[in-house]
Amino acid sequence: MNGPTAEGGKHGRTARGGRRGTSAEGRKLTRSFSWLALLGTLLVIAGIVGLIYTGVATLTSMLLFGWLLLIGGVVGLAHAIESRGTNYFWLGVVVAALNLAAGVVVIRHPEGTAEALTMFAALLFLTGGVFRLVGSVVVRGPQMGWTLLQGAFGLLLGLLVLFDWPHSSLYVLGTFFSLALLFDGLGLIAVGIGGRRIVSLVSDRLDAPGPATDSPPKAPDDGQK
């Protein structure tokens, strides 16, 4: 009788230890999702502030873009040096040099860069709107109305940005940058809150009391013949 009882107690301790390990992992996951929600909240706040101060957001986005180009150029140059002797060495050097030069230009002239990128964005809106309008009329598919609406909106947005250029460069890029931060932050908050709820549900299910495992098994009936 001592053997089965000891074995049952061992299984019970193992199950409790497994539940404690599961609870610790659940707490780690909860903290990770909480950090995601906190990061999303910061991004939402930054997006709202950027929508209020679009000029500052535009200059900030240009400076970030310039520094990203610089960092990409340095990393590309280091990678090209590591791969010297190969056929792609000079191509890597040229691409890295272009990234470095573009980064320096963007950082030194953020206003001019914003004007050029705003003009480019307006042209993209115009061409995209025209292609959607023409394509929807020619193809006449099941989504014709929706495509027509998208094309008209893109065409109108491109014309508004173009007619107000270069003054529109002070707020167009900053608005897009702030909206991107806002929606990314909302997405992270949704993931963080949803992840915390899922972890909580799973932890509650695992911590629920199960069948007793410490009770000794029944002894066989010695009176059976």
Side-chain angles (χ1 to χ4, degrees):
M1 296 296 292
N2 291 335
T5 306
E7 185 177 357
K10 180 179 179 181
H11 284 304
R13 289 190 297 271
T14 303
R16 288 193 294 270
R19 289 178 181 176
R20 285 195 295 269
T22 304
S23 300
E25 292 295 330
R27 287 193 294 270
K28 290 181 181 178
L29 286 174
T30 301
R31 285 196 296 269
S32 300
F33 283 118
S34 299
W35 281 111
L36 276 181
L38 178 60
L39 178 60
T41 304
L42 294 176
L43 290 180
V44 167
I45 294 173
I48 294 174
V49 173
L51 289 175
I52 297 173
Y53 303 100
T54 54
V56 177
T58 299
L59 292 179
T60 303
S61 62
M62 290 297 97
L63 292 176
L64 287 176
F65 180 56
W67 281 109
L68 285 176
L69 287 174
L70 280 179
I71 294 172
V74 171
V75 173
L77 186 60
H79 182 69
I81 292 174
E82 289 180 357
S83 62
R84 59 184 180 274
T86 62
N87 296 328
Y88 303 100
F89 170 71
W90 288 110
L91 177 62
V93 171
V94 171
V95 172
L98 290 176
N99 284 332
L100 289 173
V104 171
V105 171
V106 171
I107 291 175
R108 293 190 63 181
H109 305 284
E111 294 88 357
T113 305
E115 292 179 1
L117 290 179
T118 302
M119 172 67 74
F120 182 68
L123 294 177
L124 282 181
F125 289 140
L126 285 174
T127 54
V130 169
F131 275 112
R132 282 192 176 93
L133 288 174
V134 174
S136 62
V137 172
V138 172
V139 177
R140 296 181 181 273
Q143 303 292 332
M144 178 180 176
W146 178 248
T147 308
L148 278 173
L149 181 62
Q150 285 182 323
F153 180 75
L155 185 62
L156 178 61
L157 185 59
L159 290 175
L160 289 176
V161 174
L162 192 60
F163 288 158
D164 198 28
W165 189 86
H167 183 263
S168 58
S169 62
L170 297 176
Y171 58 86
V172 170
L173 298 179
T175 301
F176 291 159
F177 179 67
S178 302
L179 287 175
L181 290 179
L182 181 62
F183 286 115
D184 288 344
L186 291 175
L188 288 179
I189 291 174
V191 171
I193 294 176
R196 282 174 58 93
R197 289 179 179 175
I198 293 174
V199 171
S200 177
L201 290 175
V202 173
S203 299
D204 292 342
R205 186 70 62 85
L206 292 177
D207 291 340
T213 55
D214 291 341
S215 58
K218 293 182 179 180
D221 190 2
D222 295 336
Q224 279 187 342
K225 293 182 181 180

